Amino acid sequence: MKNALKTMNGSIYSPNYTGHEFIICQQSDCRSSNVVFSPIKHNGYDYLIAKIDCSGNIGPLREALREIRVVATPLPIRTLTTVRIPHYMGCAATGVDWSVVSKLIQEELLDHNIPVEIWDEGKEN
């Protein structure tokens, strides 16, 4: 059975109750690479921010998801990592429909057993 996108409502920085580490994706115009990682602490919780270059076309977004997959893959010294992605990330910058972006997320993360949460910050639980 394929892993499915899990849709969440509220703040993408909601507390971590799963015991997983978290990577939070943010759309960025970094252009120096496909993704830049930065650790942060928010309300006492540790997160790894992945600033993704979504400018121009879908290629950089696919490459960024591949880089995130490498960082999120569990190792003996690292726990499982859940990737949190804002709903519609990459759509405006790339000019593609969410169905295309969600297919990339499926192929590059979910099909490799990386848990993904899609966050809609306009709604509350």
Side-chain angles (χ1 to χ4, degrees):
M1 183 172 148
K2 276 188 173 182
N3 291 322
L5 290 176
K6 183 177 180 182
T7 302
M8 309 293 288
N9 295 322
S11 172
I12 201 166
Y13 295 99
S14 293
N16 173 3
Y17 298 116
T18 65
H20 294 188
E21 294 180 5
F22 281 112
I23 295 175
I24 297 179
C25 297
Q26 294 179 341
Q27 187 168 314
S28 177
D29 188 14
C30 43
R31 295 187 190 224
S32 60
S33 66
N34 295 325
V35 62
V36 175
F37 293 98
S38 308
I40 67 161
K41 188 175 274 295
H42 182 77
N43 290 335
Y45 294 94
D46 293 316
Y47 299 95
L48 185 60
I49 301 297
K51 295 188 178 198
I52 298 174
D53 180 7
C54 297
S55 61
N57 62 57
I58 204 79
L61 179 57
R62 179 181 292 279
E63 289 302 315
L65 291 172
R66 285 181 182 155
E67 291 179 47
I68 289 168
R69 180 177 72 221
V70 169
V71 172
T73 300
L75 299 172
I77 58 170
R78 186 173 64 220
T79 63
L80 185 62
T81 300
T82 297
V83 178
R84 290 181 169 183
I85 299 174
H87 200 216
Y88 298 115
M89 184 189 78
C91 293
T94 60
V96 300
D97 188 72
W98 175 249
S99 64
V100 174
V101 173
S102 61
K103 185 174 188 258
L104 283 179
I105 294 167
Q106 179 72 48
E107 292 170 356
E108 299 301 336
L109 298 174
L110 292 168
D111 288 352
H112 296 272
N113 298 314
I114 304 298
V116 176
E117 298 173 348
I118 303 299
W119 283 77
D120 189 344
E121 296 198 58
K123 298 179 182 175
E124 292 296 322
N125 286 330

